[in-house]
Every structure is written in C-alpha cells, then in structure tokens.
Amino acid sequence: MFDHYTFADFAGDEETFFSEYFNRKPLLRRNAIKGDPKDILSFQKVDDLLNLESFHPPYIRITQGPRVVSETDYTRSTVVQRIAVSSVIVPERVYELFRSGATVALGTLNNVIPPLRQLTRIFTEKFAAQTDISAFMTPAGRRGRAPHHDAPDVFVVQLEGTKRWTLWEPPAERKTKRRIYDTIEELGEPTMDVLLEPGDILYLPFNTPHAAEAKDRMSLHVVFTIRPRLWEDLLKSTVAQLLDDPAFSGFPYLAAPGGDAPVGELKEMLRLLQDKLGALDPDAEIDRLVGTGRVGVEGSSTSRALQGLADIDDIGPRTELVRTASLVHHVDAAADAQSTRVTIEGCSANLPSVTAVSLQQLGPGDTTTAARLSPGLTLEEATVQVQRLARLGALQLAAGRDA
Ligand SMILES: [Fe+2]
C-alpha cells in the first residue's frame, strides 16, 4: 500500500539530511507527504480501530494533563468464542474522555496495522535501528503532554488538523532517557515555533525538548520513533559477542582469603579480551552491527512465507528455479535403486534417484527446471518433485520470474 514511499519523502535529500540535520538539529519539511496524508491514518481509521473490539491497551493510552487515565475507565470484559476477554475498549468512553480534553495516544501501531509496519521498515533499514510508529489525537485548543524530551529520534507527520510545536535546545548531556520539564523557564528561549499542517513533517533529534498544542481544529499526527544506538550500546554488543567464548566461562572465587587470589586470572582474562578486540575486523563488525539493527528487530519484520508456499502450487514444468543454500544430505538409496532418501534441513524425503542425483550436482544459486532436474520422469511427475523440493526449502522460484 505504501510501496511508493521512500526515505527521501520523509527526510528530503538523504545526503543533506545526514550531513546537516541527523543528530544535530530539527528539520521542518512543509507539505512533504505525497498524496492525501489521511491515507496514512485518519480520524475515520482511528474510529474503526477503536470499534474493532480486538484493539486494546497497551496500544492505547489516554492522558488528561499529566494524569494517565486508568484503562479500567474505558475498557470492559466480554466473552469471545466462549472465552473471557478483558481490556476490550468501550469506544463511547474514549470519545467522552477525548471530548473532555484528554489526549489519546495509539502506540506501536506497527504491531497492529500492516501498512504502517511497512512504513517503519523504511526507517529501520536506513538507521539500522528499531522504529515504531505511534499516533496522537488532541482536542482543539488543548496542549498535549507537558514540555519534555523523548529518548528516540522522531519524525512527526501531521495528518489532520493543526498543531503548534515549540522546540528548545537539547540539554548539554544527551542520554537515551525521557525527561519531563517542570517549568518552561528552565528551557530558555525556544529555537523553533511552528504550526504544523496536514502533510508537514518535523524531525527532532533525540532529547530535543518540545511542547505541542492543538489549535482551532482537533489534531491527529503520527510519530516515527527511532531508538538511537549510541556507541556505548554498539560497543556493549561488540564486547558481548567477543565474550561468547568458553574461555570466559570460568567462575572465579572473588572473596578468597588473602583477597588477591583471582587477580592473576583477571589479568589473563583482560589480556584475552584485549587480544580479541585487537584482532577484530572493523569493517566486518560494522556490517554485523548494521545487521543486528535491521534484522529481527521488533515491530518491523515481514514475512511472505504463506504467499511463498501458495506460489509453489503454481510451479509448472518450465518454471525456472534456483537451488538454495539449504543443506541436503543423501542418506541412502533404496534396494531397487529407484528412490533415494535425503534429508533437507532435518526433514526426510524419498526422491526418485534421478532427481536426488541431479540435486546433488546443483550448487547454491544454480538454476534448474522440473524437466532438467528429473530426466526420465514424465513432466507431471517431475513437476511434483520440484514442488516438493521447493516446499522443503531446497529450491526457490528464480527472482523476477512468475510460476
Ligand atoms: Fe514527545
């Protein structure tokens, strides 16, 4: 749905963003969203979510001024499929609270709405860091949360109504912790004071103090939150990786009589760690750190496993297939030599021996078709064999080719 969005749509020219704004100063981009901002999220879509009966806390959080409204004030218990379910939203109560001035926050919507998950991936890829998307609704004329700074870098996207944002200089020491400021006076003079309109984007480096206030119309905006990985976080990961070695699994007796018993051992451990750090290839380590920030992070992973399995059903005799890197072991051939048992990543299968032999000759990345893989079999039988091998993971559809 959001395939047409790129990082540049949110941040502008990528080189300029990373050289001038990233981690340095706020960036305001007027009317940056392509098409209708309400396609991302709208009051109407939020109505649908609130009435869904499967949308529940902690994905919704309501605040009235500094007070967080207890979820028992706007949820109930019910029975679904004869099983008791708690924390089901009562939309009327949410509307009532909103009308009385509360701010409604819908957090981590990337866990709820697939197209929004797709959008967070754009940031996860670029920053190699976990990204979430949350929405905030504020009634007209109401200030949102008290002036504060947040732990993550944020991209604010105004979707409906308007909101005035006031920003201040970040504190001298920036830490990845949220902070609420007691008074505006302690923040000094604002560095930016803008009224965001639908389609506008505002980037705030982490720890930028801000306050936001809805003006003459009720406001809806989303925020992409990107969790910074500071050097201390990255180096902890590097050292943890190096310490994952049996050489460091000893259990020293630290309180031994005499006090200095394990000192020699500690020196030895430090020397070993130092050697490992010295031998580290920085390029490879950066690649590993980028990988850990992109793959398997919560809230943005995607899989098309079911669609992939369905596509296998359409593989035909002439479909171009690629041998994957899956491990295939040939166990033994049957007594009549017609079939051979193989194991593919732990799963056993009996293949016609001609197919098993051809498979053995293929290396990862080599291409084949049903007919080429099973010479001597009918096209129909050969097709059944490649479909089986695709389901077991030994073959996959060649990129860009349809079944
Ligand atoms: Fe904030």
Side-chain angles (χ1 to χ4, degrees), residues 148-197:
H148 64 279
H149 71 230
D150 295 303
D153 265 29
V154 300
F155 280 84
V156 177
V157 184
Q158 187 70 29
L159 302 176
E160 294 208 57
T162 55
K163 202 157 195 183
R164 180 182 164 196
W165 284 74
T166 310
L167 314 184
W168 290 269
E169 198 66 46
E173 194 188 358
R174 293 165 72 201
K175 282 278 178 191
T176 49
K177 274 203 178 109
R178 189 167 198 270
R179 181 184 162 192
I180 297 171
Y181 293 88
D182 297 329
T183 60
I184 285 192
E185 286 68 39
E186 67 176 301
L187 288 162
E189 282 301 306
T191 54
M192 194 186 273
D193 194 343
V194 288
L195 186 71
L196 290 193
E197 300 194 19

Side-chain angles (χ1 to χ4, degrees), residues 98-120:
F98 186 72
R99 273 195 294 264
S100 68
T103 288
V104 177
L106 311 177
T108 318
L109 287 179
N110 41 308
N111 282 6
V112 181
I113 304 174
L116 296 186
R117 193 180 192 88
Q118 192 186 349
L119 280 185
T120 60

Side-chain angles (χ1 to χ4, degrees), residues 258-274:
D260 61 352
V263 169
E265 212 180 324
L266 175 61
K267 277 186 184 165
E268 178 58 20
M269 292 293 114
L270 289 172
R271 191 191 55 74
L272 192 57
L273 180 58
Q274 217 166 1

Side-chain angles (χ1 to χ4, degrees), residues 311 319-324 365-368 395-403:
D311 290 344
T319 304
E320 212 42 38
L321 298 156
V322 179
R323 172 75 173 92
T324 65
D366 289 348
T367 58
T368 189
L395 297 174
Q396 65 184 29
L397 285 160
R401 288 170 197 267
D402 295 327

